[in-house]
């Protein structure tokens, strides 16, 4: 008989597979250096969409969705203490990333979701 693995091993790999599926956004996790670099590089686009200016935006957390590229749903905190959610689309093939949406008036406890 073939070894099929324990139930916990099967559940672990099933959960991992679900997180990697195209179209499904992964749970939010702490923002990494790449996320901060994306946000820094597109700050002017964020400002254009909100009509405001931000001395600094610090990425707090990120949820990623794999599509024909990657959607980065970023929770960011401004120097003023205000939180915003930013959706950045990073296409495949090295084309430049761009801001596809911004939500203002958020708090640190507001969950990241698709917008």
């Amino acid at each position: 008989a073939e070894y099929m693995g324990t139930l916990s091993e099967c559940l672990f790999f099933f959960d991992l597979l679900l997180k990697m599926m195209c179209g499904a956004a992964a749970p939010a996790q702490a923002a990494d250096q790449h996320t901060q670099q994306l946000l820094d590089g597109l700050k002017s686009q964020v400002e254009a969409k909100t009509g405001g200016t931000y001395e600094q935006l610090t990425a707090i957390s990120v949820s990623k969705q794999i599509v024909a590229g990657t959607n980065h749903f970023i929770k960011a905190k401004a120097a003023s203490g205000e939180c915003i959610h930013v959706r950045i689309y990073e296409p495949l093939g090295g084309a430049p990333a761009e801001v596809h949406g911004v939500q203002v008036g958020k708090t640190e406890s507001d969950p990241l979701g698709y917008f």
Side-chain angles (χ1 to χ4, degrees), residues 29-107:
Q29 52 190 276
D32 57 13
Q33 184 177 0
H34 177 71
T35 302
Q36 185 64 53
Q37 288 171 341
L38 279 173
L39 190 59
D40 290 344
L42 296 170
K43 188 166 80 89
S44 63
Q45 287 186 29
V46 171
E47 292 173 335
K49 289 201 179 285
T50 64
T53 57
Y54 300 97
E55 181 181 322
Q56 181 178 359
L57 287 172
T58 303
I60 298 170
S61 60
V62 62
S63 174
K64 297 177 184 177
Q65 177 190 34
I66 306 301
V67 288
T70 304
N71 279 321
H72 300 264
F73 299 95
I74 302 168
K75 182 182 296 187
K77 190 170 188 175
S80 65
E82 173 192 10
C83 283
I84 63 173
H85 291 181
V86 181
R87 178 166 52 111
I88 295 175
Y89 175 66
E90 188 175 24
L92 295 173
E98 52 189 42
V99 175
H100 276 205
V102 179
Q103 294 180 328
V104 296
K106 296 294 187 174
T107 67

Side-chain angles (χ1 to χ4, degrees), residues 9-34:
E9 288 173 331
C10 291
L11 290 174
F12 170 81
F13 287 111
F14 181 71
D15 182 57
L16 185 62
L17 178 63
L18 284 177
K19 290 176 183 172
M20 293 173 48
M21 288 175 36
C22 286
Q29 52 190 276
D32 57 13
Q33 184 177 0
H34 177 71

